[in-house]
Amino acid sequence: MYYGIDTSCYTTSLAVTDAQGRLLCEQRKLLEVPSGERGLRQSDGIFLHLQNLPHLAEALAERTGPLCLQAVAASTRPRPVDGSYMPVFTVGTSFGRMLAATLGVPFFSLSHQEGHIYAGLWSAGVDWDNFYAVHISGGTTEILEVARQAKGLAIKELGGSEDLHAGQFIDRVGVALGLGFPAGPALEALAARCPGRGADVPVSVRDFQLSFSGPESHVQRAIKDGIHAPEDLARGVERCVAGSILRLVRNVLGQAGKKPVLLVGGVAANRFIRTTLADGLPAETAFAQPGFAGDNAVGAAIFARRCTN
């Protein structure tokens, strides 16, 4: 069995897979953000992860019973690039290394982004060796060229957002509309009440770069002026994000060459955005299942298995 740990900015996650790569059990807990706030300090995130991990591990053990682990893996940094660091990931790293050392099994580290990609491939049921990955979340909006290797991923960033990430755009508008943080699911529910196309929000894409700061300013002015119903603005935000990603991916496919496309990250769980992208992109496009698009530790457990086989 293989144990995965992920302690991201807003979710504590554990997962166990078996030797065939089947998910045996997982446990997650969102970190609570005070009402009206647009995020957590890293120190608060660390404290909450320290509180959550023992309870999640106990809940997981109640469902699985004693585990005969072959390896442990944890997300140790946000992205697989030099200098990528966030303190919250030290919590999962420390717990993972301690668990592996106690059991006498290997410990493997991967980035949070690689965990998303592994979980996306696994949950979508695709086995691509060379593809583009579009990672859209509150902390990242990037399009990546990915090549699978024997025990890891070779990742090259091709483009993405030059300012706000897609999830930040959604969260800032959501909080301004009175929704909780993170605002993704609540904004999606609000947008579902829109009877038409919603508000027109500009799309800003140039070659392999996109921007959400201008669209966000546009929506914030509309909120202040009260010229659109909240549900119309929510649907406009969804259409802007979907249209921006669609244009970005089409630019990459047209200029960098055609490859399969995998979409991962919490924003990729939004039903309207998924449908819009699925309708507008080539047939060889896959999405992480909604339940595994957001932060989770399944990718880490899958990675641990790959590293020992």
Side-chain angles (χ1 to χ4, degrees):
M1 299 179 188
Y2 304 89
Y3 208 96
I5 305 172
D6 186 78
T7 51
S8 66
C9 289
Y10 297 108
T11 308
T12 314
S13 307
L14 299 175
V16 176
T17 60
D18 65 12
Q20 287 72 46
R22 295 173 297 202
L23 179 62
L24 298 181
C25 184
E26 67 154 340
Q27 295 289 325
R28 301 183 218 174
K29 184 174 178 59
L30 285 173
L31 307 189
E32 185 173 346
V33 178
S35 177
E37 295 294 323
R38 299 198 304 188
L40 285 172
R41 294 179 299 178
Q42 287 285 301
S43 58
D44 292 333
I46 288 172
F47 175 79
L48 291 170
H49 283 313
L50 289 170
Q51 302 303 306
N52 291 342
L53 275 173
H55 295 296
L56 294 182
E58 290 165 358
L60 188 149
E62 286 181 3
R63 294 181 58 186
T64 63
L67 296 172
C68 182
L69 296 182
Q70 303 300 308
V72 178
S75 303
T76 60
R77 53 182 177 162
R79 299 164 59 238
V81 297
D82 292 340
S84 182
Y85 170 75
M86 277 189 178
V88 285
F89 290 104
T90 63
V91 181
T93 303
S94 297
F95 272 69
R97 290 179 58 188
M98 182 178 69
L99 178 61
T102 300
L103 298 176
V105 299
F107 172 80
F108 299 103
S109 64
L110 77 164
S111 71
H112 178 72
Q113 185 171 74
E114 289 169 300
H116 269 296
I117 294 172
Y118 279 117
L121 291 168
W122 169 82
S123 68
V126 294
D127 194 30
W128 298 330
D129 290 325
N130 291 278
F131 56 96
Y132 298 123
V134 184
H135 183 185
I136 42 178
S137 68
T140 306
T141 298
E142 293 178 339
I143 185 163
L144 313 161
E145 188 173 41
V146 183
R148 285 211 298 183
Q149 300 175 326
K151 294 183 179 180
L153 300 172
I155 297 176
K156 177 183 177 182
E157 181 184 344
L158 298 179
S161 177
E162 58 189 14
D163 41 55
L164 293 181
H165 302 304
Q168 285 179 301
F169 176 32
I170 290 170
D171 288 334
R172 291 187 180 189
V173 171
V175 170
L177 290 172
L179 306 178
F181 182 98
L187 185 132
E188 182 176 1
L190 179 63
R193 291 160 42 192
C194 176
R197 283 175 48 83
D200 287 328
V201 180
V203 170
S204 178
V205 179
R206 185 184 66 257
D207 293 328
F208 295 178
Q209 297 294 321
L210 55 79
S211 170
F212 288 120
S213 63
E216 193 236 346
S217 297
H218 177 92
V219 177
Q220 294 288 7
R221 287 193 298 270
I223 294 173
K224 182 178 179 181
D225 295 340
I227 58 176
H228 291 288
E231 57 267 28
D232 291 339
L233 289 170
R235 176 49 53 85
V237 167
E238 288 183 328
R239 285 179 49 226
C240 174
V241 171
S244 299
I245 299 300
L246 183 59
R247 193 174 300 178
L248 172 68
V249 175
R250 284 175 171 173
N251 287 349
V252 169
L253 291 173
Q255 298 179 43
K258 289 180 169 51
K259 292 183 180 182
V261 179
L262 175 71
L263 291 105
V264 301
V267 177
N270 179 288
R271 184 179 293 105
F272 179 86
I273 293 174
R274 291 168 70 93
T275 300
T276 302
L277 293 174
D279 290 344
L281 290 175
E284 204 166 15
T285 297
F287 294 82
Q289 290 182 14
F292 299 101
D295 293 351
N296 65 84
V298 177
I302 295 294
F303 176 71
R305 174 177 172 268
R306 288 186 62 88
C307 287
T308 52
N309 289 340

